Amino acid sequence: MTELAPDAAALAEDAAETAEDVRIDVDALAEQLLGTWAETRREARELAGRSELHKAEGLTHHEHRERVFGQLKYLVDHRAVHRAFPKELGGDEDHGGNIAGFEELVTADPSLQIKAGVQWGLFGAAVLHLGTEEHHAKWLPGIMSLEVPGCFAMTEIGHGSDVASIATTATYDPETEEFVIHTPFKAAWKDYIGNAAKDGIAAVVFAQLITAGVNHGVHALYVPLRDPETKEFLPGIGGEDDGVKGGLNGIDNGRLHFDHVRVPRSNLLNRYGAVAPDGSYSSPISSPGRRFFTMLGTLVQGRVSLDGAATAAAKVALTSAIRYASERRQFNASSDVAEEVLLDYQRHQRRLLPRLATVYAMSFAHEQLLAKFDGVFSGRTDTDGDRQDLETLAAALKPLSTWSALDILQECREACGGAGFLIENRFASLRADLDVYATFEGDNNVLLQLVAKRLLNDYAKEFRTMNVGALAKFALGQAAGVAYRTGLGAVAQFVRDSGRAQRAALALRDEDTQRLLLADRVQTMVAEVAQALHGANKLPQAEAAARFNAHQNELIEAARAHAELLQWEAFTEALAEMKDPGTKQVLTWLRDLFGLSLIEKHLAWYLMNGRLSMQRGRTVGEYINRLLAKLRPHALDLVEAFGYGPEHLRAAIASGAEAERQSEASAYFASQRSSGAAPKLEKHAKQVRHPKLAS
């Protein structure tokens, strides 16, 4: 097989494209980025831009907590938190709009965003989605008005992401028609619970429901915590303050424990599981496992909102960093009298522009996730399959966006030098606050493992009739024309007329080639792990677990590759909606930069698995560098389209102050040169002999 290196025609085509008068329609692009809930986002951004909601740096954690709790009241007063609740209680029943507005609060203060999420997105949503209309009428008004600040008490010290194994119990007593809530040991204490240290006066507590000697698994109960007047814990309830954290110190995280605390039978949020007065248990879902995942699936909005909030924070960071890089000058490279703008350096472009492409991919993928979420929770597309797809999609995208946001914030910080380290420019502060996004609402690696299991299950359904030899042949990429599904749409199909990615097109910038390379990687990785795990379900439990563990890393990497493909596909689908030719051209370059950056990131895999030759592999970096040069003139327009104003950025380096300093410096040196007053550099000064020595 022979591969073609970039030829003169391709280079000439690049030059012609670059020479064209390509412009972005910033307003149209900004509108597309706002998405389906554009008006809600505009309202939320206007609110987030108000100084009353901004993070005040330098406060103690006690002061920060007080400020954020006051800001929650401000949100209530301005009807910013009721969008998802029932109309009969004053809400809008707008689930997608609720998330779209909520995630914009991260630009004001991440502590405010998460504290609001605890109150209305977790505590309130648990009552809404796990309770009945009776529960709604009884508790939601106080939750919505903030009269009842509350907690979402799921996580335990000993079982973080493993919710099914929590040890807190809720044992039913038929004589008193009460549940007895108990934490039998320290590892069963609820921990990292927002509102637990100070503000919460009630909680939705997750516990193992036991009745008539049978454990029916994890259920949720409404449990009063504190006296509303004295704010002291009620009898049998105790707790501790988690204290100062690495970020998000406007939230009073704490620990809770229960010593045989009794609550009425009616406090069980019983939409999916009920206990009759005599202690008999009933559920509309017969399978305990399916019931558990259905209950947790109703709370997926936390992951959806974190995906969007991480994307918003990354947009803010890149806007500041790229504006600064377009003004800051350093070193005389091409001129003796003018220093270079940072963003004109290829390395600086390499640092920021691929990350800009990533954020666009994150943004378009999040809009698809939000639409899927709204479809399920509005009831328009609420089948078991839709819910499973939503859960898998959220579990795939949330890890990538939160990890990317941390990477982007760090790179932006470094790209702005010492100025980036100043709190006034927000990179360090935002990164500290977003750090925990990678491990709450589901640890990222655990979430990707859930995605991987879904990929394996779907693979097994497609190939249950195949023997081991056929699976091995497929894993080696020889089964031309075979497609399989991931539950989220077709991942890949080998090209029927060739069967091999490296023969699909002559250029890596070709859309079909990028899709094939990215999809083939997912396909092959899943097939290889499926082959390795074939028959494991027939082994003794310990042996099966050991075999799975031996391939856990490959599984998670396959899930991550799948999530990257989903982002690339979302970007590509968004391109089809762009009407303005110039905008579409620039965004196509940006999509190509995203795709080729992924291929470069995983280049070793493509080389080792024979998907690219060494010759073709060397061209990946060349293509990327050419794309950087094309995108450089459009960098400011691309961040302008994010739509964040100075009230959202609040970074001195993005205010235009650097441009003023550079202009002042340039004028000073120009004046010196024109007046002849500029001193000569030592290396340019002529050597003149001393007059006396000359005589």
Side-chain angles (χ1 to χ4, degrees), residues 451-507:
V451 176
K453 289 182 177 179
R454 174 73 187 277
L455 293 175
L456 281 178
N457 287 338
D458 287 347
Y459 179 90
K461 290 176 185 177
E462 290 292 333
F463 296 104
R464 62 167 58 94
T465 59
M466 275 192 174
N467 58 29
V468 176
L471 288 174
K473 188 176 183 182
F474 180 82
L476 293 173
Q478 302 299 315
V482 178
Y484 76 99
R485 301 187 67 80
T486 68
L488 303 174
V491 161
Q493 181 170 347
F494 284 99
V495 179
R496 289 183 182 275
D497 62 356
S498 67
R500 299 305 296 269
Q502 58 266 60
R503 291 170 58 190
L506 296 180

Side-chain angles (χ1 to χ4, degrees), residues 395 444-454 548 552 555-556 559:
N444 283 354
N445 284 287
V446 174
L447 290 180
L448 288 177
Q449 184 165 296
L450 293 176
V451 176
K453 289 182 177 179
R454 174 73 187 277
F548 183 89
Q552 184 185 39
L555 266 176
I556 291 174

Side-chain angles (χ1 to χ4, degrees), residues 22 28 32 39 154 183 185 251 276 283 294 311 340 359 366 408 420 439 495 531 534 575 604 609 624 659:
V22 178
Q32 184 174 359
E39 190 56 38
M154 175 185 283
T183 44
F185 42 76
I251 307 170
S283 172
T294 299
T311 301
E340 303 297 312
V359 169
H366 176 68
I408 288 164
T439 52
V495 179
Q531 180 190 0
H534 185 74
L575 287 175
N609 286 274
I624 287 175

Side-chain angles (χ1 to χ4, degrees), residues 273-284:
V275 175
D278 65 358
S280 57
Y281 179 84
S282 63
S283 172

Side-chain angles (χ1 to χ4, degrees), residues 653-671:
I653 58 172
S655 66
E658 180 62 26
E660 292 179 10
R661 286 192 292 269
Q662 293 294 335
S663 178
E664 179 187 19
S666 177
Y668 171 78
F669 288 118
S671 174

Side-chain angles (χ1 to χ4, degrees), residues 404-537:
S404 291
L406 294 177
D407 167 69
I408 288 164
L409 284 162
Q410 181 64 25
E411 195 64 36
C412 287
R413 201 295 294 163
E414 293 183 30
C416 294
F421 197 57
L422 299 179
I423 287 296
E424 70 175 14
N425 291 316
R426 299 190 67 203
F427 300 118
S429 178
L430 277 172
R431 196 192 185 289
D433 285 335
L434 265 68
D435 201 341
V436 75
Y437 283 31
T439 52
F440 77 166
E441 292 297 323
D443 176 277
N444 283 354
N445 284 287
V446 174
L447 290 180
L448 288 177
Q449 184 165 296
L450 293 176
V451 176
K453 289 182 177 179
R454 174 73 187 277
L455 293 175
L456 281 178
N457 287 338
D458 287 347
Y459 179 90
K461 290 176 185 177
E462 290 292 333
F463 296 104
R464 62 167 58 94
T465 59
M466 275 192 174
N467 58 29
V468 176
L471 288 174
K473 188 176 183 182
F474 180 82
L476 293 173
Q478 302 299 315
V482 178
Y484 76 99
R485 301 187 67 80
T486 68
L488 303 174
V491 161
Q493 181 170 347
F494 284 99
V495 179
R496 289 183 182 275
D497 62 356
S498 67
R500 299 305 296 269
Q502 58 266 60
R503 291 170 58 190
L506 296 180
L508 287 167
R509 63 182 177 178
D510 179 81
E511 180 179 299
D512 290 337
T513 302
Q514 291 176 39
R515 176 182 284 110
L516 192 56
L517 286 169
L518 295 172
D520 178 41
R521 183 165 180 263
V522 179
Q523 198 170 22
T524 303
M525 293 172 80
V526 173
E528 288 176 342
V529 176
Q531 180 190 0
L533 296 179
H534 185 74
N537 59 334

Side-chain angles (χ1 to χ4, degrees), residues 232-254:
E232 297 294 326
F233 278 124
L234 297 173
I237 299 174
E240 297 175 352
D241 192 329
D242 278 331
V244 179
K245 308 181 294 291
L248 295 180
N249 280 301
I251 307 170
D252 55 320
N253 295 92

